Amino acid sequence: MRKAPTPVTLTNPEAIDTEPTKPQAQRRASGGGGLGRYVLVRFLLIFPTVFILVTLVFFLMRVVGNPITASVGGRLTPTQLQERLHAAGYDRPVIVQYLEYLGQIVRGDFGTTSTDNRPVTEIILQYGGATAELVFYALIVALVLGIPLGMLAAYLRDKWPDVLLRALAILTYATPVFFGGLLLKLVFSVWLGWLPLGDRASTRAQLILDRIENPTGIYLIDAIRTGNGQIISDVLQHAVLPALTLGLLTAGIFLRLVRANMIGSLGSEYVDAARSRGVRESRLVRTHAFRPALVPIITVMGLQIAMLLGGSVLTETTFGWRGLGFELNQYLSARDFVAVQGIVAMLAVIVAVTNFVVDVIAALIDPRVRF
């Protein structure tokens, strides 16, 4: 007869529940999966991202020659041109220029324009607020239109409103920014006369805003500081068409993203369980299905801000919105490559930092992102 096994007595029965498993202990010891390590890694990724973008811009600008020859070479004698090249250091090897340019960026010096001899940092400080204001307006338009319409499309899946909204999303994304802007100007400014054709403010409002002490460059804030309701209304009216033009580009992406994620959430087990408990369908859409679908939207938002900054070049040019995009187009036309590479490098820094902030927000909302 086989002997019965000897029972094992646990001296600490709670050890099973409280003792972490070996992989968990190793991960806690190394800090893996923690918010602190995730934030640190994402922050460190800013530097190689900016480095790669700055390097690409620098060498692409040098493919067509040096900036001085490209911008003012035809208006100078050969002797004057050589003097300008030597003074600016463009007669040295490209690798030496590149290393010196990296050193300037580390010190916060993005160069001096060759056409009007202005520091690029000064241009960024003067016109950066206008671009930031336009991107903010466009992001509000994209969120206000894209998220509710995406929820509606998911709720009415495969019905005619869903088909119409999907087609609208594709149309807004595929329409060139400049064409959409011209079309909106034709309809709302020329035909209906409801909104201004362009600029950031009317001449009267512009004169008042220019007299403000220590202006921010963001007209809405400066208009609020004046305490004049007519100035505030004037600034907002001028912002409607540019914001719609740029915001519709991203609204279509948000619409399709929200729709796809909410369809997956509505078919999940926890939503079915809530539905079986008698939870109203509208509440299921607003809370149970929408919140899990929000994380991918926040993650993609960082990439969309980069797209908005790129689209702001054409939008600002179309509406005469004096921001970094408008100035960048002017310097491109003047072939001032120092200004172009300085502005693009600064935009690269803004995009990298914005993506870092968005990643941190996504990690705070959903801990699964950290792993």
Side-chain angles (χ1 to χ4, degrees), residues 22-195:
K22 188 175 181 180
Q24 290 175 334
Q26 291 177 349
R27 189 168 60 187
R28 290 177 185 177
S30 62
L35 179 61
R37 183 183 178 185
Y38 176 83
V39 171
L40 178 62
V41 171
R42 292 297 177 181
F43 177 76
L44 293 177
L45 286 176
I46 293 177
F47 300 99
T49 302
V50 174
F51 172 76
I52 292 172
L53 291 174
V54 167
T55 301
L56 287 174
V57 171
F58 180 88
F59 285 105
L60 287 175
M61 292 290 100
R62 294 306 187 276
V63 169
V64 296
N66 63 79
I68 293 180
T69 303
S71 58
V72 297
R75 301 192 297 271
L76 299 176
T77 65
T79 303
Q80 292 174 330
L81 180 60
Q82 288 301 321
E83 291 176 353
R84 291 283 296 272
L85 291 175
H86 180 73
Y90 290 119
D91 55 348
R92 294 176 297 173
V94 175
I95 188 64
V96 176
Q97 300 178 39
Y98 170 66
L99 294 176
E100 183 179 346
Y101 182 63
L102 289 181
Q104 291 177 350
I105 290 182
V106 171
R107 297 192 302 268
D109 181 9
F110 290 88
T112 303
T113 63
S114 56
T115 52
D116 50 8
N117 199 32
R118 295 180 61 192
V120 176
T121 307
E122 178 184 316
I123 297 171
I124 293 170
L125 292 176
Q126 181 176 354
Y127 298 104
T131 298
E133 185 177 13
L134 177 59
V135 170
F136 175 76
Y137 291 149
L139 193 59
I140 294 297
V141 170
L143 292 173
V144 169
L145 294 180
I147 291 180
L149 293 180
M151 295 172 63
L152 180 63
Y155 181 66
L156 302 175
R157 180 183 179 184
D158 295 332
K159 297 181 180 179
W160 70 265
D162 177 33
V163 176
L164 181 63
L165 289 173
R166 279 187 290 168
L168 180 63
I170 296 174
L171 180 64
T172 56
Y173 180 73
T175 302
V177 174
F178 70 91
F179 178 77
L182 292 175
L183 188 61
L184 289 176
K185 287 172 68 173
L186 179 65
V187 174
F188 293 100
S189 298
V190 178
W191 291 351
L192 299 177
W194 291 352
L195 296 169

Side-chain angles (χ1 to χ4, degrees), residues 201-219:
S202 63
T203 304
R204 174 179 172 274
Q206 183 73 56
L207 292 174
I208 295 176
L209 293 173
D210 289 341
R211 292 198 297 266
I212 293 180
E213 186 178 356
N214 299 322
T216 62
I218 301 176
Y219 274 16

Side-chain angles (χ1 to χ4, degrees), residues 6 28 40 69 81 90 209 221-222 247 258 312-313 341 344 346:
T6 304
R28 290 177 185 177
L40 178 62
T69 303
L81 180 60
Y90 290 119
L209 293 173
I221 295 178
D222 293 338
V258 171
S312 67
V313 178
Q341 73 181 16
V344 172
M346 187 61 193

